[in-house]
Amino acid sequence: ETLEYPIHVIGRHVNISEAMKSYAVDKLSKVERFGGRIIEATIVMDTQKLVHSIDFILNVNNYKIKVSGHSDNMYASIDQAI
């Protein structure tokens, strides 16, 4: 599936596996059904001690929307954010 907008995936203090990246992008693609034109998306994954956090920053119709998730597992953090 090809998305029409650029997606930037950034890792801070964590090596992003291809599986984590594709899981986050897959979850992000489900947001499109809520309407609005996504112009750009940035996904920031971070690990601080035992806390895995993720931020999805979306540029939708020229408004910035940021959602976050924090847990002890990166996949759970992605689910919490989306």
Side-chain angles (χ1 to χ4, degrees):
E1 176 180 321
T2 307
L3 302 173
E4 312 86 41
Y5 51 89
I7 299 174
H8 309 284
V9 181
I10 301 167
R12 293 188 182 146
H13 310 107
V14 64
N15 290 326
I16 300 174
S17 69
E18 198 58 41
M20 284 192 317
K21 180 179 177 179
S22 57
Y23 187 76
V25 171
D26 181 54
K27 288 288 187 175
L28 178 63
S29 68
K30 295 179 181 180
V31 172
E32 294 174 354
R33 67 177 174 225
F34 294 110
R37 184 171 160 261
I38 298 175
I39 298 169
E40 181 181 29
T42 303
I43 302 170
V44 181
M45 297 181 187
D46 190 9
T47 302
Q48 295 289 330
K49 294 191 179 182
L50 299 176
V51 177
H52 297 262
S53 61
I54 188 161
D55 295 322
F56 287 89
I57 304 162
L58 307 176
N59 187 342
V60 181
N61 295 333
N62 291 321
Y63 291 97
K64 285 209 179 207
I65 299 172
K66 179 180 176 183
V67 293
S68 301
H70 310 279
S71 74
D72 60 352
N73 178 299
M74 188 61 76
Y75 293 98
S77 298
I78 294 168
D79 290 338
Q80 185 183 59
I82 301 284

